Amino acid sequence: MNNTPSNYYSLRQLEWTLGFKRDVLQDMARQAGKYYRPYDEKQVKKNGKVKIRHIDNPLRKLKFIQKRILKRVLSEHMKQLPDGMVGGVPGKSIIDNAKPHINQEMVVTIDLKNCFPNTKASNIFLVWRDIVGYGTRQANLLTQLTTFRTILPQGAPTSSALCNLVLLSLYKEIQTYADKNGLNLSTNYVDDFTLSGRANVVRPAIRFVIKRIQHYGFAVRRIKVVVMPAHKNQKTTGLLLNKKVNVARKRIEETRNKIFAIKKRATGITEKEQRSIEGDILFVKKVSKEKAEKLKKLVNEVLPTNLIPEFETSKPERWSCRHHK
């Protein structure tokens, strides 16, 4: 009689896939909470209010394992997501999120409230077992390695991909409704839904989408349900949609103001400010290289150092969106 556990090969396969022996993985999983250094990050919003963003920062060793889990296990499942799910998916960007909604009678964006904290370890376990296909023992191990204090951690490399897979059933339900009613649907940054189409179809769809979101245990920020008819600026993830995908003028002005504010202060530029400006310009470049070049030129004229590296022109770039919230 063979007394080898039925899931022995799967555990051995997981060792081989991640490049760590099982005792190392099991020890890390048991003590995963020790491998995080949480902190709160202050963000000043456009209206001057301060928002506190909580980060569950995994330490180097755990983050290394999580990156391997993302690259060697989850990446293939990201490629199989529906076309409209673009957030955190390699090779897809905010432009892919925006294109279905160009020149529509009405656009609506719906934001899930506290999506990561409301994604529980039990949800992640079901992803590992039912979607990825591991046995119970391996699913438990991977759940411990990718969650913190029983929730999905903000800041872990695996979190956006896992959240996509948690929301996959919800997305498919909404997509079925959208297809039947002639609506366009996409998601970006994992937890933002964008709907568009004829106004008489979009308006009743809002209630349906919110009810399905709540059915899956998530909540919606009512203030973040934004209804945009065609006679107003229609935006999603910072991009204008009315006639073509474009960067909002306000976004350009905010970056310009940031640059001049640093110059006026005359105390030098911090590393954080430098990264912020570089990020702003790279965001603009996704849509308009010409506008990005103008901002880059302004930086190099106004500030004392060349912050922004030369843009590559020899080959096209593939942009993937990240979770910035």
Side-chain angles (χ1 to χ4, degrees), residues 113-141:
K113 182 179 181 181
N114 298 327
C115 185
F116 280 19
N118 285 327
T119 302
K120 307 303 182 186
S122 56
N123 302 124
I124 302 304
F125 171 80
L126 293 176
V127 166
W128 289 122
R129 190 190 66 181
D130 298 345
I131 296 179
V132 180
Y134 279 103
T136 299
R137 187 180 178 191
Q138 292 74 43
N140 272 320
L141 177 67

mmCIF file of all heavy atoms in Angstrom, residues 113-141:
data_model
loop_
_atom_site.group_PDB
_atom_site.id
_atom_site.type_symbol
_atom_site.label_atom_id
_atom_site.label_comp_id
_atom_site.label_asym_id
_atom_site.label_seq_id
_atom_site.Cartn_x
_atom_site.Cartn_y
_atom_site.Cartn_z
ATOM 1 N N LYS A 113 -14.771 50.425 -2.635
ATOM 2 C CA LYS A 113 -14.238 51.031 -1.412
ATOM 3 C C LYS A 113 -13.314 50.054 -0.688
ATOM 4 O O LYS A 113 -13.684 48.903 -0.426
ATOM 5 C CB LYS A 113 -15.401 51.429 -0.492
ATOM 6 C CG LYS A 113 -14.962 52.110 0.791
ATOM 7 C CD LYS A 113 -16.180 52.488 1.620
ATOM 8 C CE LYS A 113 -15.775 53.192 2.914
ATOM 9 N NZ LYS A 113 -16.961 53.536 3.733
ATOM 10 N N ASN A 114 -12.093 50.508 -0.394
ATOM 11 C CA ASN A 114 -11.134 49.703 0.380
ATOM 12 C C ASN A 114 -11.045 48.276 -0.147
ATOM 13 O O ASN A 114 -11.207 47.307 0.600
ATOM 14 C CB ASN A 114 -11.520 49.698 1.860
ATOM 15 C CG ASN A 114 -11.495 51.075 2.467
ATOM 16 O OD1 ASN A 114 -10.688 51.919 2.096
ATOM 17 N ND2 ASN A 114 -12.403 51.333 3.401
ATOM 18 N N CYS A 115 -10.755 48.164 -1.425
ATOM 19 C CA CYS A 115 -10.817 46.858 -2.080
ATOM 20 C C CYS A 115 -9.856 45.839 -1.454
ATOM 21 O O CYS A 115 -10.257 44.720 -1.138
ATOM 22 C CB CYS A 115 -10.514 47.021 -3.574
ATOM 23 S SG CYS A 115 -10.711 45.501 -4.511
ATOM 24 N N PHE A 116 -8.599 46.212 -1.268
ATOM 25 C CA PHE A 116 -7.643 45.250 -0.710
ATOM 26 C C PHE A 116 -7.994 44.848 0.726
ATOM 27 O O PHE A 116 -8.026 43.655 1.041
ATOM 28 C CB PHE A 116 -6.228 45.818 -0.787
ATOM 29 C CG PHE A 116 -5.590 45.680 -2.155
ATOM 30 C CD1 PHE A 116 -6.351 45.460 -3.288
ATOM 31 C CD2 PHE A 116 -4.226 45.776 -2.305
ATOM 32 C CE1 PHE A 116 -5.780 45.339 -4.538
ATOM 33 C CE2 PHE A 116 -3.632 45.657 -3.552
ATOM 34 C CZ PHE A 116 -4.415 45.439 -4.676
ATOM 35 N N PRO A 117 -8.263 45.823 1.633
ATOM 36 C CA PRO A 117 -8.624 45.415 2.998
ATOM 37 C C PRO A 117 -9.899 44.577 3.065
ATOM 38 O O PRO A 117 -10.073 43.803 4.011
ATOM 39 C CB PRO A 117 -8.817 46.760 3.726
ATOM 40 C CG PRO A 117 -8.017 47.734 2.947
ATOM 41 C CD PRO A 117 -8.109 47.288 1.525
ATOM 42 N N ASN A 118 -10.789 44.737 2.081
ATOM 43 C CA ASN A 118 -12.020 43.948 2.075
ATOM 44 C C ASN A 118 -11.867 42.613 1.349
ATOM 45 O O ASN A 118 -12.839 41.857 1.229
ATOM 46 C CB ASN A 118 -13.154 44.749 1.436
ATOM 47 C CG ASN A 118 -13.687 45.829 2.361
ATOM 48 O OD1 ASN A 118 -13.697 45.661 3.579
ATOM 49 N ND2 ASN A 118 -14.110 46.953 1.804
ATOM 50 N N THR A 119 -10.666 42.324 0.863
ATOM 51 C CA THR A 119 -10.384 41.030 0.243
ATOM 52 C C THR A 119 -9.745 40.143 1.304
ATOM 53 O O THR A 119 -8.613 40.372 1.728
ATOM 54 C CB THR A 119 -9.448 41.187 -0.966
ATOM 55 O OG1 THR A 119 -10.050 42.081 -1.907
ATOM 56 C CG2 THR A 119 -9.211 39.843 -1.634
ATOM 57 N N LYS A 120 -10.469 39.140 1.753
ATOM 58 C CA LYS A 120 -10.050 38.335 2.889
ATOM 59 C C LYS A 120 -9.176 37.151 2.465
ATOM 60 O O LYS A 120 -9.169 36.735 1.304
ATOM 61 C CB LYS A 120 -11.278 37.807 3.637
ATOM 62 C CG LYS A 120 -12.278 38.882 4.036
ATOM 63 C CD LYS A 120 -11.654 39.970 4.893
ATOM 64 C CE LYS A 120 -12.671 41.024 5.319
ATOM 65 N NZ LYS A 120 -12.035 42.148 6.028
ATOM 66 N N ALA A 121 -8.474 36.603 3.451
ATOM 67 C CA ALA A 121 -7.635 35.432 3.190
ATOM 68 C C ALA A 121 -8.465 34.265 2.652
ATOM 69 O O ALA A 121 -7.980 33.473 1.836
ATOM 70 C CB ALA A 121 -6.907 35.018 4.475
ATOM 71 N N SER A 122 -9.717 34.167 3.080
ATOM 72 C CA SER A 122 -10.584 33.097 2.579
ATOM 73 C C SER A 122 -10.834 33.241 1.079
ATOM 74 O O SER A 122 -10.916 32.243 0.350
ATOM 75 C CB SER A 122 -11.919 33.095 3.334
ATOM 76 O OG SER A 122 -12.548 34.363 3.249
ATOM 77 N N ASN A 123 -10.938 34.498 0.592
ATOM 78 C CA ASN A 123 -11.073 34.727 -0.845
ATOM 79 C C ASN A 123 -9.817 34.286 -1.592
ATOM 80 O O ASN A 123 -9.894 33.693 -2.673
ATOM 81 C CB ASN A 123 -11.321 36.214 -1.146
ATOM 82 C CG ASN A 123 -12.547 36.766 -0.455
ATOM 83 O OD1 ASN A 123 -12.449 37.737 0.281
ATOM 84 N ND2 ASN A 123 -13.703 36.168 -0.686
ATOM 85 N N ILE A 124 -8.663 34.580 -1.013
ATOM 86 C CA ILE A 124 -7.391 34.245 -1.655
ATOM 87 C C ILE A 124 -7.189 32.725 -1.678
ATOM 88 O O ILE A 124 -6.704 32.172 -2.668
ATOM 89 C CB ILE A 124 -6.226 34.940 -0.929
ATOM 90 C CG1 ILE A 124 -6.432 36.459 -0.926
ATOM 91 C CG2 ILE A 124 -4.898 34.578 -1.569
ATOM 92 C CD1 ILE A 124 -6.614 37.068 -2.298
ATOM 93 N N PHE A 125 -7.577 32.055 -0.603
ATOM 94 C CA PHE A 125 -7.488 30.594 -0.576
ATOM 95 C C PHE A 125 -8.283 29.980 -1.732
ATOM 96 O O PHE A 125 -7.814 29.054 -2.405
ATOM 97 C CB PHE A 125 -8.006 30.056 0.764
ATOM 98 C CG PHE A 125 -8.160 28.562 0.793
ATOM 99 C CD1 PHE A 125 -7.063 27.741 1.005
ATOM 100 C CD2 PHE A 125 -9.405 27.972 0.584
ATOM 101 C CE1 PHE A 125 -7.197 26.352 1.018
ATOM 102 C CE2 PHE A 125 -9.555 26.598 0.592
ATOM 103 C CZ PHE A 125 -8.449 25.776 0.807
ATOM 104 N N LEU A 126 -9.482 30.499 -1.967
ATOM 105 C CA LEU A 126 -10.313 29.961 -3.054
ATOM 106 C C LEU A 126 -9.679 30.214 -4.423
ATOM 107 O O LEU A 126 -9.840 29.399 -5.338
ATOM 108 C CB LEU A 126 -11.712 30.575 -2.995
ATOM 109 C CG LEU A 126 -12.550 30.183 -1.773
ATOM 110 C CD1 LEU A 126 -13.883 30.933 -1.780
ATOM 111 C CD2 LEU A 126 -12.796 28.677 -1.745
ATOM 112 N N VAL A 127 -8.965 31.323 -4.563
ATOM 113 C CA VAL A 127 -8.239 31.570 -5.816
ATOM 114 C C VAL A 127 -7.180 30.498 -6.029
ATOM 115 O O VAL A 127 -7.096 29.882 -7.100
ATOM 116 C CB VAL A 127 -7.588 32.969 -5.809
ATOM 117 C CG1 VAL A 127 -6.561 33.099 -6.941
ATOM 118 C CG2 VAL A 127 -8.653 34.043 -5.952
ATOM 119 N N TRP A 128 -6.374 30.258 -4.997
ATOM 120 C CA TRP A 128 -5.304 29.264 -5.135
ATOM 121 C C TRP A 128 -5.847 27.856 -5.371
ATOM 122 O O TRP A 128 -5.285 27.097 -6.161
ATOM 123 C CB TRP A 128 -4.417 29.267 -3.883
ATOM 124 C CG TRP A 128 -3.552 30.476 -3.748
ATOM 125 C CD1 TRP A 128 -3.522 31.368 -2.719
ATOM 126 C CD2 TRP A 128 -2.568 30.945 -4.677
ATOM 127 N NE1 TRP A 128 -2.600 32.358 -2.948
ATOM 128 C CE2 TRP A 128 -1.992 32.125 -4.150
ATOM 129 C CE3 TRP A 128 -2.115 30.484 -5.919
ATOM 130 C CZ2 TRP A 128 -0.989 32.836 -4.801
ATOM 131 C CZ3 TRP A 128 -1.120 31.200 -6.574
ATOM 132 C CH2 TRP A 128 -0.570 32.352 -6.026
ATOM 133 N N ARG A 129 -6.961 27.534 -4.720
ATOM 134 C CA ARG A 129 -7.494 26.178 -4.855
ATOM 135 C C ARG A 129 -8.355 26.003 -6.107
ATOM 136 O O ARG A 129 -8.157 25.052 -6.878
ATOM 137 C CB ARG A 129 -8.329 25.814 -3.617
ATOM 138 C CG ARG A 129 -8.713 24.324 -3.564
ATOM 139 C CD ARG A 129 -9.739 24.067 -2.476
ATOM 140 N NE ARG A 129 -11.029 24.716 -2.780
ATOM 141 C CZ ARG A 129 -12.093 24.657 -1.976
ATOM 142 N NH1 ARG A 129 -12.012 24.030 -0.805
ATOM 143 N NH2 ARG A 129 -13.216 25.264 -2.312
ATOM 144 N N ASP A 130 -9.303 26.934 -6.332
ATOM 145 C CA ASP A 130 -10.317 26.712 -7.363
ATOM 146 C C ASP A 130 -9.955 27.296 -8.727
ATOM 147 O O ASP A 130 -10.435 26.813 -9.746
ATOM 148 C CB ASP A 130 -11.659 27.297 -6.910
ATOM 149 C CG ASP A 130 -12.187 26.631 -5.649
ATOM 150 O OD1 ASP A 130 -11.674 25.545 -5.292
ATOM 151 O OD2 ASP A 130 -13.086 27.192 -5.001
ATOM 152 N N ILE A 131 -9.143 28.353 -8.752
ATOM 153 C CA ILE A 131 -8.787 28.972 -10.032
ATOM 154 C C ILE A 131 -7.403 28.508 -10.493
ATOM 155 O O ILE A 131 -7.231 28.043 -11.619
ATOM 156 C CB ILE A 131 -8.843 30.517 -9.940
ATOM 157 C CG1 ILE A 131 -10.275 30.963 -9.651
ATOM 158 C CG2 ILE A 131 -8.329 31.149 -11.238
ATOM 159 C CD1 ILE A 131 -10.445 32.470 -9.519
ATOM 160 N N VAL A 132 -6.411 28.616 -9.593
ATOM 161 C CA VAL A 132 -5.062 28.199 -9.964
ATOM 162 C C VAL A 132 -4.943 26.681 -9.964
ATOM 163 O O VAL A 132 -4.243 26.103 -10.791
ATOM 164 C CB VAL A 132 -4.020 28.845 -9.030
ATOM 165 C CG1 VAL A 132 -2.603 28.424 -9.415
ATOM 166 C CG2 VAL A 132 -4.140 30.370 -9.091
ATOM 167 N N GLY A 133 -5.636 26.008 -9.011
ATOM 168 C CA GLY A 133 -5.723 24.552 -9.068
ATOM 169 C C GLY A 133 -4.834 23.786 -8.114
ATOM 170 O O GLY A 133 -4.602 22.589 -8.303
ATOM 171 N N TYR A 134 -4.340 24.418 -7.052
ATOM 172 C CA TYR A 134 -3.536 23.699 -6.075
ATOM 173 C C TYR A 134 -4.423 22.923 -5.109
ATOM 174 O O TYR A 134 -5.595 23.261 -4.919
ATOM 175 C CB TYR A 134 -2.658 24.677 -5.290
ATOM 176 C CG TYR A 134 -1.405 25.078 -6.034
ATOM 177 C CD1 TYR A 134 -1.316 26.320 -6.645
ATOM 178 C CD2 TYR A 134 -0.313 24.216 -6.123
ATOM 179 C CE1 TYR A 134 -0.165 26.696 -7.335
ATOM 180 C CE2 TYR A 134 0.829 24.574 -6.803
ATOM 181 C CZ TYR A 134 0.902 25.818 -7.402
ATOM 182 O OH TYR A 134 2.038 26.176 -8.088
ATOM 183 N N GLY A 135 -3.834 21.913 -4.489
ATOM 184 C CA GLY A 135 -4.539 21.187 -3.442
ATOM 185 C C GLY A 135 -4.681 22.044 -2.193
ATOM 186 O O GLY A 135 -4.065 23.110 -2.072
ATOM 187 N N THR A 136 -5.463 21.563 -1.246
ATOM 188 C CA THR A 136 -5.756 22.338 -0.035
ATOM 189 C C THR A 136 -4.495 22.718 0.722
ATOM 190 O O THR A 136 -4.340 23.859 1.175
ATOM 191 C CB THR A 136 -6.690 21.528 0.886
ATOM 192 O OG1 THR A 136 -7.916 21.276 0.193
ATOM 193 C CG2 THR A 136 -6.978 22.296 2.169
ATOM 194 N N ARG A 137 -3.563 21.780 0.854
ATOM 195 C CA ARG A 137 -2.333 22.036 1.612
ATOM 196 C C ARG A 137 -1.512 23.146 0.956
ATOM 197 O O ARG A 137 -1.043 24.073 1.622
ATOM 198 C CB ARG A 137 -1.522 20.747 1.706
ATOM 199 C CG ARG A 137 -0.304 20.841 2.605
ATOM 200 C CD ARG A 137 0.419 19.502 2.624
ATOM 201 N NE ARG A 137 1.620 19.554 3.423
ATOM 202 C CZ ARG A 137 2.531 18.583 3.433
ATOM 203 N NH1 ARG A 137 2.354 17.502 2.684
ATOM 204 N NH2 ARG A 137 3.613 18.683 4.188
ATOM 205 N N GLN A 138 -1.344 23.075 -0.358
ATOM 206 C CA GLN A 138 -0.561 24.076 -1.075
ATOM 207 C C GLN A 138 -1.292 25.424 -1.111
ATOM 208 O O GLN A 138 -0.671 26.486 -1.017
ATOM 209 C CB GLN A 138 -0.277 23.606 -2.501
ATOM 210 C CG GLN A 138 0.655 22.409 -2.595
ATOM 211 C CD GLN A 138 -0.030 21.113 -2.170
ATOM 212 O OE1 GLN A 138 -1.174 20.868 -2.540
ATOM 213 N NE2 GLN A 138 0.677 20.306 -1.398
ATOM 214 N N ALA A 139 -2.617 25.372 -1.247
ATOM 215 C CA ALA A 139 -3.408 26.607 -1.267
ATOM 216 C C ALA A 139 -3.291 27.344 0.065
ATOM 217 O O ALA A 139 -3.181 28.578 0.103
ATOM 218 C CB ALA A 139 -4.864 26.295 -1.580
ATOM 219 N N ASN A 140 -3.313 26.595 1.166
ATOM 220 C CA ASN A 140 -3.128 27.213 2.485
ATOM 221 C C ASN A 140 -1.755 27.866 2.598
ATOM 222 O O ASN A 140 -1.615 28.977 3.108
ATOM 223 C CB ASN A 140 -3.288 26.162 3.590
ATOM 224 C CG ASN A 140 -4.735 26.002 4.032
ATOM 225 O OD1 ASN A 140 -5.471 26.982 4.151
ATOM 226 N ND2 ASN A 140 -5.155 24.767 4.270
ATOM 227 N N LEU A 141 -0.724 27.159 2.121
ATOM 228 C CA LEU A 141 0.640 27.678 2.183
ATOM 229 C C LEU A 141 0.761 28.980 1.388
ATOM 230 O O LEU A 141 1.296 29.985 1.868
ATOM 231 C CB LEU A 141 1.603 26.626 1.629
ATOM 232 C CG LEU A 141 3.085 27.024 1.542
ATOM 233 C CD1 LEU A 141 3.663 27.213 2.934
ATOM 234 C CD2 LEU A 141 3.881 25.970 0.780
#
